[in-house]
Amino acid sequence: MKLTGAQIICEGLVKEGVEVIFGFPGGAILPLYDTLLQYPRLRHILVRHEQGAAHAADGYARATGKVGVCMATSGPGATNLVTGIANAHLDSSPVVAITGQVARPFIGKDAFQEVDISGITLPITKHNYLVLDVGSLAGIVKEAFYLARTGRPGPILIDVPRDVFIDQAEFNYPTKLDLPGYKPTLQGHVAQIKKAAKVINEAQRPLIIAGRGVIMSGAYEELKQLAETAQIPVITTLLGIGCFPESHILSFGMLGMHGMAYANMAVEAADVIIAIGMRFDDRATGKVSEFAPHASIIHIDIDPAEIGKNVPVAVPIVGDVKLVLNALNKLIISTERIDWFQQLEDWRKEHPSTVIRECEGLLPQLVIRKICEVTQGEAIIVTGVGQNQMWAAQHYCYDKPNSLISSGGLGTMGFELPAAMGAKVGCPDTTVWCVAGDGGFQMTIQELATVVQEKVAVKIAIINNGYLGMIRQWQELFYGRRYVASPLSGPDFVKIAEAYGIPGLRVRRNTEIVPAIEQAMKEKGPFLIDFIVEPEENVYPMVTPGAALTEVLEGPKETKAVSDSAKLPVSNI
Amino acid sequence: MTAKHTLVALVEDKPGVLTRMASLFRRRGFNIESIVVGRSEQPHLSRMTIVISGSTAMLEQLRKQLDKIINVVKVFDITADDTVARELALIKVGATSSSRSEIIQIVDIFRANIVDVASDSVTVEVTGDEEKIDSLCNLLRGFGIKEMTRTGRIAMTRGSLGRPPAGKQSSKAQGKRQKT
């Protein structure tokens, strides 16, 4: 049976199990929108800006592990997706973006709303397509989804000219793929795994650094088994948070620029580092030439190009984390490391890193801590970028995979609200908290309308300090307190929420935090809380940019801790 | 340690592949000396020869990054292998009636050809490795080189043990073809 290009795409989406598409229509893509009527299974969520569609698809993908789908029209529609696509690319998020393009006879003529989006997105997609023949469309859709979710996942863009949506072709959804240049290595090399096991078994002070690859490969049990059997402390990258329960006795938090001081010290002292599904990003390593000076590094990653890219590796293992750990675990000898853990515990006592100081005013750290208490650590936290992101990473206790969704690689302010929306659409039964800064929130604030129209019950906590907080912190510490372009006014967020039809509260006092969060949780739909926090609160610990991980600023010491000495597992709060 | 390396890439014959590779070279800061693209023995695959200077670590990174491009089927470094490498050049040399015979002598010594003669110039076609072409150029420079174009290096490993183009199976198939 012959189908139109638009129908072929929809059939493909259905076959790939797509349930929801985030998008925004326009001239070139209208034939596809018209066809959506025939496919009620494909829920379309109309965003208010295409950037929101890409972030929402990304948030959906991260929360569910499925491929997120977004679409936009040609020209400005497509370029508005670019930030979201780049964001998905840097964090290896499986997203398929479908864009309309001007009809084939107009391509290259600078036609109305024509832009070379496949050219523009070339370096920020895993792969992309410009479809010039309706006959190739079914195969391309199939390939796109396969490429997006396998190997090292990433965004795929399919650019479809208007007349290709209308052209007809016999519909055969291929069962086989012809990708001679794409064969991700899944099984680790046996000899390398043996070598790694030997290195681990002989190690005195081994340390696991786990990244998002563990989450994407679903290797939580395998990681836990490795850590428990060989008694190896586990620290994570920002995006790796949740791949190992933070309440676990072997968990030593996050490393990097705003990581726990003791985690960074562990990196410094370790004699063996087992880096799993992570890529030695500069925010994680600090000054790379001084990273882990005493350690030989075992690096497990599915992307061979990540191995040896930033740091020299002693034992490289290319493969799927879950499969490699499975094989590795069989060769690991159960060990006790009393001295090593004693050392780590001493450092944790000396440098607790997540202590909240006593303060009259409202502290952002306390807000996060209380959200953690009220949600009992069961929520998905979606953050913006900057101070709010770091406090959310430091002060919530993440025990489950995918419980923190954050823009790591690209650091995209404005990610929080649309991504939280995508996460909530994907996981309607889980509480989703969007932790935003007052700066980033204003970048994609328009999606409040989408949240209301589509009845997406996200809870929003704005950490409102009247500054672009992280910028101000850098200016305070490294630019002689010259606050250029970082003080920032905002609207009355509660009134804004109200205008969109979302109930909200403003919180100024510590005592009001918990009742407000509880009220938000009681509300069936979305809810917004504007937390007016201490304006000049800094994120600590902090490794000076460009310095080694050991050069940590730990913040004012003279103040007394408010209650807990450090972030505690939820069960202990 | 910087040295010249020769990479061979087999890529799918699809639109945009060269752009993808060029974009990668630019974005990751790899400086290419030459890149030659043409058909290979397999109908849907093009073969590229890339010459690049850099450290071994940089080259390894380039090879891996190229391999990540979906349309790139296989990349191998043949620098250390025993290879045949050739380059073609067309050189238009100023020639008067008095200098022409001298040019022809030089061209003969180099086993090059004269492919065009005009009243004030001759055009020389030469094939060989870079050094041979460089030395011919040096000799001809004295006559005045008016125009020159060089293709850049193409290369292949010697003997029947060629690198597998795409996995072991196709290497067998290739072996058979060579025998017949």
Side-chain angles (χ1 to χ4, degrees):
Chain A
M1 193 183 59
K2 283 202 164 185
L3 297 182
T4 65
Q7 285 172 318
I8 289 171
I9 291 174
C10 292
E11 288 288 337
L13 295 180
V14 169
K15 286 220 171 5
E16 294 297 334
V18 173
E19 286 159 350
V20 58
I21 302 165
F22 302 91
F24 197 103
I29 203 170
L30 263 184
L32 180 57
Y33 270 86
D34 194 44
T35 307
L36 280 180
L37 268 184
Q38 303 161 27
Y39 294 87
R41 221 206 97 158
L42 299 171
R43 175 183 177 194
H44 181 270
I45 291 182
L46 175 69
V47 294
R48 295 301 182 271
H49 184 291
E50 291 87 348
Q51 182 186 350
H55 288 326
D58 188 345
Y60 174 91
R62 295 191 205 206
T64 62
K66 296 188 230 167
V67 178
V69 181
C70 59
M71 59 195 211
T73 195
S74 65
T79 52
N80 280 346
L81 289 178
V82 167
T83 303
I85 292 172
N87 191 74
H89 185 61
L90 274 163
D91 289 351
S92 310
S93 198
V95 168
V96 169
I98 300 169
T99 49
Q101 180 56 279
V102 298
R104 279 167 295 180
F106 293 94
I107 290 181
K109 306 276 162 58
D110 302 319
F112 177 65
Q113 292 194 330
E114 183 193 359
V115 78
D116 172 21
I117 196 63
S118 52
I120 290 171
T121 57
L122 205 87
I124 53 162
T125 49
K126 184 173 173 183
H127 195 55
N128 65 18
Y129 301 87
L130 169 61
V131 187
L132 292 171
D133 167 27
V134 71
S136 64
L137 195 48
I140 286 174
V141 173
K142 171 100 181 171
E143 262 180 40
F145 277 85
Y146 177 73
L147 289 173
R149 67 170 174 257
T150 57
R152 178 179 180 175
I156 309 288
L157 178 127
I158 312 176
D159 195 26
V160 188
R162 190 174 189 281
D163 53 340
V164 173
F165 284 126
I166 299 163
D167 265 13
Q168 294 195 339
E170 207 60 47
F171 177 68
N172 290 308
Y173 204 61
T175 46
K176 277 189 181 164
L177 291 159
D178 178 30
L179 289 165
Y182 181 73
K183 292 191 182 72
T185 307
L186 299 178
Q187 298 287 354
H189 195 282
V190 179
Q192 290 296 91
I193 292 174
K194 273 189 191 151
K195 204 165 149 194
K198 186 164 178 284
V199 173
I200 295 169
N201 288 336
E202 287 170 1
Q204 300 298 309
R205 299 177 308 279
L207 176 70
I208 291 172
I209 308 180
R212 199 166 122 73
V214 175
I215 298 174
M216 288 190 289
S217 131
Y220 328 114
E221 286 310 314
E222 289 78 5
L223 174 62
K224 216 164 158 185
Q225 197 193 329
L226 172 64
E228 285 174 352
T229 312
Q231 286 293 297
I232 307 175
V234 179
I235 62 175
T236 69
T237 64
L238 172 67
L239 292 188
I241 284 179
C243 75
F244 189 79
E246 290 196 318
S247 57
H248 196 288
I249 191 163
L250 295 175
S251 169
F252 285 84
M254 170 178 82
L255 88 163
M257 185 174 274
H258 293 291
M260 316 309 154
Y262 48 86
N264 289 341
M265 290 165 143
V267 173
E268 163 83 8
D271 66 344
V272 170
I273 283 178
I274 307 133
I276 310 176
M278 56 81 76
R279 61 180 179 88
F280 296 99
D281 173 79
D282 54 274
R283 285 295 193 269
T285 61
K287 188 176 184 180
V288 74
S289 58
E290 287 173 35
F291 177 77
H294 310 295
S296 49
I297 296 175
I298 300 167
H299 191 186
I300 306 169
D301 201 283
I302 197 156
D303 182 355
E306 287 304 343
I307 289 174
K309 187 179 82 177
N310 295 341
V311 299
V313 172
V315 188
I317 305 176
V318 177
D320 177 72
V321 166
K322 191 182 174 92
L323 297 174
V324 171
L325 288 185
N326 237 325
L328 182 63
N329 281 339
K330 293 187 183 119
L331 308 173
I332 294 297
I333 299 165
S334 174
T335 318
E336 277 193 33
R337 303 182 201 277
I338 293 159
D339 293 350
W340 181 218
F341 279 99
Q342 190 54 53
Q343 174 69 78
L344 291 171
E345 288 301 344
D346 288 350
W347 282 335
R348 176 137 67 179
K349 272 194 204 99
E350 287 162 31
H351 308 272
S353 300
T354 51
V355 171
I356 300 175
R357 69 189 172 94
E358 205 168 15
C359 178
E360 276 285 300
L362 190 59
L363 286 180
Q365 300 93 322
L366 199 61
V367 172
I368 305 293
R369 198 73 67 86
K370 294 297 173 192
I371 293 176
C372 185
E373 281 179 34
V374 175
T375 60
Q376 298 185 309
E378 298 283 326
I380 293 175
I381 304 295
V382 186
T383 76
V385 168
Q387 289 186 317
N388 68 83
Q389 177 184 33
M390 291 302 130
W391 285 318
Q394 291 174 338
H395 293 276
Y396 196 92
C397 185
Y398 301 93
D399 273 350
K400 284 198 257 176
N402 293 321
S403 48
L404 174 68
I405 294 177
S406 196
S407 166
L410 194 65
T412 313
M413 287 171 72
F415 173 75
E416 54 274 54
L417 180 58
M421 187 170 79
K424 183 65 184 177
V425 168
C427 301
D429 299 329
T430 310
T431 304
V432 175
W433 273 89
C434 164
V435 174
D438 52 323
F441 192 68
Q442 292 186 64
M443 286 190 168
T444 46
I445 197 168
Q446 74 284 348
E447 300 308 332
L448 286 174
T450 314
V451 161
V452 172
Q453 183 173 352
E454 293 290 333
K455 303 187 174 62
V456 186
V458 289
K459 314 297 175 187
I460 301 158
I462 300 178
I463 307 297
N464 188 346
N465 53 15
Y467 282 108
L468 299 172
M470 191 59 91
I471 304 287
R472 190 208 54 75
Q473 177 170 343
W474 280 49
Q475 288 170 331
E476 177 190 327
L477 298 173
F478 313 115
Y479 293 86
R481 291 182 178 264
R482 295 181 296 277
Y483 294 166
V484 182
S486 55
L488 154 103
S489 72
D492 180 327
F493 288 111
V494 178
K495 276 191 183 157
I496 285 276
E498 193 192 328
Y500 278 107
I502 297 171
L505 278 175
R506 180 163 297 107
V507 171
R508 293 176 190 278
R509 275 187 212 87
N510 287 320
T511 50
E512 298 165 1
I513 303 175
V514 172
I517 296 168
E518 281 171 346
Q519 193 179 335
M521 297 286 283
K522 270 186 212 129
E523 192 72 36
K524 264 196 161 170
F527 197 90
L528 181 146
I529 308 173
D530 184 17
F531 291 100
I532 310 295
V533 299
E534 277 296 287
E536 302 203 9
E537 185 68 9
N538 285 340
V539 178
Y540 291 113
M542 178 179 196
V543 175
T544 312
L549 284 184
T550 41
E551 292 175 50
V552 180
L553 308 171
E554 290 195 76
K557 278 240 164 101
E558 71 280 9
T559 46
K560 212 171 70 185
V562 66
S563 55
D564 314 323
S565 64
K567 176 165 72 174
L568 289 172
V570 174
S571 52
N572 296 357
I573 292 172
Chain B
M1 195 187 67
T2 299
K4 238 184 210 188
H5 298 268
T6 309
L7 287 183
V8 169
L10 285 162
V11 305
E12 287 186 87
D13 184 15
K14 285 190 174 164
V17 180
L18 190 57
T19 320
R20 283 176 205 282
M21 299 178 84
S23 159
L24 188 145
F25 297 145
R26 182 194 52 78
R27 178 172 116 60
R28 302 225 179 235
F30 297 117
N31 231 328
I32 299 298
E33 292 199 3
S34 76
I35 181 164
V36 183
V37 194
R39 288 191 194 150
S40 73
E41 76 285 359
Q42 297 177 71
H44 303 296
L45 294 185
S46 301
R47 183 169 167 130
M48 292 189 185
T49 311
I50 302 155
V51 179
I52 181 169
S53 293
S55 66
T56 318
M58 191 209 84
L59 193 86
E60 180 66 4
Q61 182 61 204
L62 170 64
R63 195 185 59 71
K64 286 170 169 176
Q65 293 292 352
L66 280 177
D67 226 359
K68 271 173 78 170
I69 298 175
I70 307 291
N71 299 132
V72 173
V73 177
K74 188 95 188 160
V75 186
F76 36 92
D77 183 354
I78 61 168
T79 313
D81 296 356
D82 188 11
T83 55
V84 186
R86 289 292 180 270
E87 186 175 343
L88 172 74
L90 292 175
I91 310 161
K92 191 180 284 176
V93 191
T96 57
S97 49
S98 56
S99 67
R100 192 172 293 133
S101 59
E102 200 182 337
I103 294 172
I104 291 170
Q105 275 182 6
I106 295 171
V107 165
D108 281 346
I109 295 167
F110 276 82
R111 278 183 279 171
N113 297 311
I114 291 181
V115 290
D116 185 56
V117 181
S119 59
D120 59 348
S121 71
V122 294
T123 303
V124 180
E125 172 208 313
V126 58
T127 310
D129 55 23
E130 283 95 341
E131 290 75 22
K132 176 180 166 181
I133 295 173
D134 286 346
S135 18
L136 178 61
C137 288
N138 285 337
L139 285 170
L140 293 177
R141 196 153 284 136
F143 301 97
I145 293 177
K146 298 182 160 194
E147 214 178 331
M148 179 171 76
T149 177
R150 292 175 69 156
T151 58
R153 185 193 298 176
I154 56 168
M156 192 175 270
T157 48
R158 287 179 191 271
S160 55
L161 283 169
R163 291 293 180 113
K168 281 179 184 166
Q169 284 175 333
S170 42
S171 120
K172 273 181 200 161
Q174 195 193 16
K176 271 178 199 163
R177 260 203 301 280
Q178 282 172 344
K179 275 173 201 162
T180 49

